Amino acid sequence: MRIESPRYTERLGSVRINDVQQVLELDSGRAKELLPHENIAVQKIEEDVLKDFEEKMAIIIPTKDEKLKLFEGVISGVPHECLIIVVSNSQTKKIDRFRMERDTLSQYCHFTRREAMIIHQKDPALAQALAGAGYTDILGEDGLVRDGKAEGMMAATFMAMLAKKEYVGFVDADNYFPGAVWEYVRCFASGLSMAKSPYAMVRILWRYKPKVSAGMYFRKWGRVSEITNKCMNSLISSKTGFETGIIKTGNAGEHAMSLRLAEILPCASSYAVEPQELVAVFEGFGGVLPMAHPTAAKDGVEIFQIETRNPHLHEEKGGQHLEGMLLPGLGAIYHSPLCEAETKQMILGELRQQGMIKPRERPPKPHINAPLRNIDLKKFSEAMEESLASYSALEEQ
Ligand code: GDD
Ligand code: MG
């Protein structure tokens, strides 16, 4: 893969935020000696390097009652070397959609000779194992893991820790293009291979997110991302004293991280999850508040934003979505101890303009879960041993 080198980097304490890097070639050919000028503006990431990173990566696919055809397409786009971990919150009652997902994955693994894991978010064994290992933050009043993509992502990240992976990448199950999924994962691997710190994150920016109205329109920015990015940039500008537009992936659902970083970040529930990751990095390592982790502060936290070639086309769910996504994301920024008056005013202004809050109202504070490293992994592993065998034995069926 050939990709632009990071050309501009904004620094905030120990955090390095790289400006968007574009993909030049999805496939950059065989390994050859590079011409001397090649390494300056553009980086060629060899297939072997991509495979090395993919091998150490779990791709987590959260799913809830998605069309099986989409799910099937998404798993087919995940490069062979990655471990697929599906975390499902699909219905099991009237129609057992989880069973269908499990069967589809099992058949796929059988014919492609690869391994995968699938868990149901509401599996009592999972909740029990979490409780036994001292991590109860994502459990609800009924003692089971709460609903939500964020909770699913966290449960699956624990599974990646058990599988001793070094990286986790997140890909939604409702993507129409398997080729786009394939590209996301290659971008994850490329970005992580460029990182100089073991605490690194890659966030995907779609080149286009087409909308179908009268014909197809290749739109670049969604309303939610535009507003979230603007407020996030205002937060950074207030700390550096220089106006910036560096953040272009505030809401990126498709993203990857080293597990070393994933383990130390407090995670938000709901659609605050992706903006909160950045907020947590700025809070923990931005140099304004006390550093959250000495080694990460020393090594630095690196953020890459990579723009894909494939457009992003996913299932249109419509309805309350704008509100459902914007409010929690802006809530994460608003309630950060880093957020000063000007950014707060900007957030309130945006939310009032969208009619999402009344004049005296404030955005709700998102639920923040403790960092994943608070789990007793040994106890979790012992408790999950039996169930785990059945989750990961798909390949042999
Ligand atoms: N395990 C699990 N549990 N998965 C869930 C749940 C849940 O409770 N709820 C939703 N999902 C799955 C969906 O099936 C889908 O695969 C993925 O999570 C994302 O959900 P969508 O409902 O499709 O979200 P979206 O398309 O509106 O938003 C996506 O893009 C945003 C950025 O534009 C998400 O990835 C957001 O998190 C992201 O901010
Ligand atoms: Mg979607």
Side-chain angles (χ1 to χ4, degrees), residues 320-360:
Q320 302 273 309
H321 233 66
L322 186 67
E323 181 166 345
M325 279 185 61
L326 188 60
L327 201 55
L330 294 191
I333 305 174
Y334 185 93
H335 291 286
S336 166
L338 292 179
C339 195
E340 32 40 78
E342 208 173 306
T343 305
K344 282 196 170 167
Q345 276 315 316
M346 180 186 278
I347 292 172
L348 295 178
E350 291 291 347
L351 290 173
R352 280 178 200 143
Q353 201 183 339
Q354 302 292 333
M356 289 179 193
I357 54 168
K358 297 203 185 83
R360 279 162 180 268

Side-chain angles (χ1 to χ4, degrees), residues 62 64 66 87 121 148-149 172-174 251 274 314 317 321:
K64 186 176 184 199
E66 299 296 351
V87 55
Q121 200 163 325
K149 175 190 153 174
D172 288 350
D174 63 341
N251 290 101
E274 285 99 4
H314 70 143
K317 293 172 183 134
H321 233 66

Side-chain angles (χ1 to χ4, degrees), residues 118-279:
I118 181 164
I119 41 166
H120 198 280
Q121 200 163 325
K122 298 289 179 184
D123 187 334
L126 171 66
Q128 257 169 33
L130 287 169
Y135 195 94
T136 49
D137 271 37
I138 55 170
L139 304 184
E141 279 169 15
D142 59 0
L144 300 178
V145 172
R146 283 194 305 273
D147 288 331
K149 175 190 153 174
E151 281 75 2
M153 287 165 64
M154 293 174 70
T157 306
F158 286 131
M159 307 293 282
M161 284 157 72
L162 292 187
K164 300 206 165 33
K165 292 291 162 185
E166 284 180 41
Y167 304 101
V168 277
F170 303 96
V171 173
D172 288 350
D174 63 341
N175 197 306
Y176 274 93
F177 297 141
V181 172
W182 178 75
E183 188 186 4
Y184 299 151
V185 180
R186 287 169 74 84
C187 290
F188 294 164
S190 299
L192 292 166
S193 79
M194 287 180 210
K196 294 185 187 73
S197 163
Y199 300 90
M201 182 188 292
V202 180
R203 303 171 74 90
I204 298 293
L205 172 66
W206 308 312
R207 197 172 185 105
Y208 301 109
K209 189 177 176 190
K211 289 264 170 259
V212 184
S213 43
M216 183 87 101
Y217 178 66
F218 286 84
R219 197 181 160 142
K220 185 166 176 70
W221 299 103
R223 288 238 305 283
V224 174
S225 35
E226 236 167 339
I227 301 172
T228 311
N229 292 340
K230 186 172 115 182
C231 297
M232 193 82 82
N233 283 320
S234 161
L235 184 86
I236 299 174
S237 310
S238 74
K239 301 296 166 266
T240 61
F242 290 88
E243 197 169 347
T244 184
I246 190 84
I247 297 291
K248 298 184 180 81
T249 55
N251 290 101
E254 266 66 38
H255 62 289
M257 266 184 270
S258 57
L259 264 170
R260 284 178 68 175
L261 178 59
E263 283 168 11
I264 60 175
L265 293 183
C267 309
S269 297
S270 78
Y271 285 107
V273 58
E274 285 99 4
Q276 172 63 30
E277 287 166 353
L278 290 178
V279 170

